[in-house]
Amino acid sequence: MTAALPIEVPSLDEILRPVNGLSVDVEDWFQVGAFEKVIDRRDWDGLTTRVERNCDAILAMFAEAEVKATFFTLGWVAQRYPAMMRRIAEAGHEIASHGWDHARVFTMDRAGFALDLKKSREAIEDASGERVSGYRAPSFSIDQRTPWAFAELAEQGYAYSSSVAPIAHDHYGWREAPRFAFRPLADADFVEIPVTTAEFAGRRLAAGGGGFFRVLPYGFSRWAIRQVNQRDGRPAVFYFHPWEIDPGQPRVAHAPLKSKLRHYTNLSGMAGKLRQLTGDFSWGRMDDLARGEALRAVALPV
Ligand SMILES: [Zn+2]
């Protein structure tokens, strides 16, 4: 029989703590995909905005936890909140693009996507004074329907994207995509860093943020990220939204029940869960993670 060790030895996860990628998709409560059919883009300017106060709360939380992150921001938001963009940059976080107005990539053609990228980059760089090198597609909408998307990103000078969810999901997902970094272009160093999934019983589970993080007990996320860090030996990529920490946001009464369940469940528990998450793992900016992952990315021209 083995006796209990008399002293505390560091656990494996304390020894193996790769720096994971922490990201915030900066959009307001009325800009989410779930409400796309019930809130018209033309009405956005008349709605009560919460994004600035919520981003300030996130900045305070990150400062307390001493973590840096990447803020993938809508051009629409950057144009209206330049002071907020500068506060994010001054705190040492990366500013990157989440497109102009949350139109999903697979609803555009290449020319439309090129314009969306250009307009959002200009707004974000003008507001923040920082050069943008990263992109996250709204609702992870780069998939087999958009074979031109990576080439357009590389052509416009982006170094990386984190726009693929390699799972099957009712709103998004590219089930056959690799789980970890890949180089989708034969003639460029451009790298795609998919959002994190965990493998369980032969299935891929979303494990990098979204509704599941709010709905399921925090222990699932901790298990999943440990699996990725230790068994797969790779950094995880996690994302959340400013509205997810805001139980006081206006309610969209006429949205479908499923959308409301997805959007409103457990908002009040989110900040506490994020504090656990930032305490349990090491986190950093996506551009730093992309540089490291580029060395290990598999070449996979799509
Ligand atoms: Zn988004």
Side-chain angles (χ1 to χ4, degrees), residues 25 27 98 102 138-139 241:
D25 290 358
E27 62 204 39
H98 193 37
H102 219 266
S139 307
H241 307 88

Side-chain angles (χ1 to χ4, degrees), residues 170-272:
D170 59 345
H171 281 200
Y172 54 78
W174 179 1
R175 184 202 303 248
E176 299 80 17
R179 290 178 60 218
F180 298 107
F182 61 97
R183 276 181 281 114
L185 303 167
D187 54 356
D189 291 332
F190 182 89
V191 64
E192 164 64 31
I193 318 280
V195 67
T196 285
T197 54
E199 274 185 335
F200 182 71
R203 292 191 56 196
R204 285 186 189 179
L205 309 171
F212 96 89
F213 182 76
R214 273 181 289 126
V215 174
L216 297 180
Y218 170 68
F220 169 74
S221 295
R222 187 171 48 206
W223 168 82
I225 294 171
R226 274 186 186 155
Q227 288 280 103
V228 169
N229 285 174
Q230 295 172 7
R231 200 192 62 187
D232 299 315
R234 302 299 283 259
V237 172
F238 185 86
Y239 75 98
F240 68 101
H241 307 88
W243 55 265
E244 287 188 279
I245 61 156
D246 183 10
Q249 67 190 277
R251 291 296 196 266
V252 182
H254 51 294
L257 181 64
K258 196 175 168 191
S259 303
K260 287 197 278 193
L261 279 175
R262 185 169 276 166
H263 191 89
Y264 296 124
T265 300
N266 209 12
L267 295 174
S268 57
M270 186 67 177

Side-chain angles (χ1 to χ4, degrees), residues 36-222:
E36 197 179 54
K37 289 198 175 71
V38 291
I39 300 175
D40 196 305
R41 278 182 171 75
R42 287 169 297 187
D43 296 332
W44 282 3
D45 268 317
L47 297 170
T48 307
T49 66
R50 307 278 289 181
V51 71
E52 189 166 30
R53 67 185 291 284
N54 292 335
C55 275
D56 282 341
I58 291 166
L59 286 176
M61 183 192 298
F62 286 175
E64 196 185 308
E66 296 180 4
V67 295
K68 302 296 181 211
T70 293
F71 288 69
F72 292 103
T73 306
L74 290 182
W76 191 97
V77 169
Q79 190 182 56
R80 283 160 181 78
Y81 299 97
M84 176 183 89
M85 301 309 292
R86 286 193 295 275
R87 287 199 294 281
I88 295 170
E90 277 160 17
H93 304 293
E94 180 192 4
I95 309 262
S97 172
H98 193 37
W100 174 253
D101 66 354
H102 219 266
R104 285 164 297 166
V105 180
F106 57 69
T107 67
M108 298 182 245
D109 59 13
R110 181 166 179 172
F113 181 53
L115 279 178
D116 186 279
L117 283 180
K118 195 166 175 296
K119 194 174 172 188
S120 55
R121 174 199 281 282
E122 280 170 9
I124 294 164
E125 292 187 346
D126 283 353
S128 67
E130 299 282 313
R131 172 141 174 81
V132 167
S133 71
Y135 174 75
R136 169 161 295 145
S139 307
F140 299 101
S141 53
I142 289 182
D143 59 25
Q144 60 275 64
R145 287 169 287 185
T146 60
W148 33 262
F150 294 125
E152 187 59 40
L153 283 160
E155 204 172 299
Q156 294 204 23
Y158 286 83
Y160 78 92
S161 128
S162 177
S163 301
V164 167
I167 53 158
H169 182 278
D170 59 345
H171 281 200
Y172 54 78
W174 179 1
R175 184 202 303 248
E176 299 80 17
R179 290 178 60 218
F180 298 107
F182 61 97
R183 276 181 281 114
L185 303 167
D187 54 356
D189 291 332
F190 182 89
V191 64
E192 164 64 31
I193 318 280
V195 67
T196 285
T197 54
E199 274 185 335
F200 182 71
R203 292 191 56 196
R204 285 186 189 179
L205 309 171
F212 96 89
F213 182 76
R214 273 181 289 126
V215 174
L216 297 180
Y218 170 68
F220 169 74
S221 295
R222 187 171 48 206

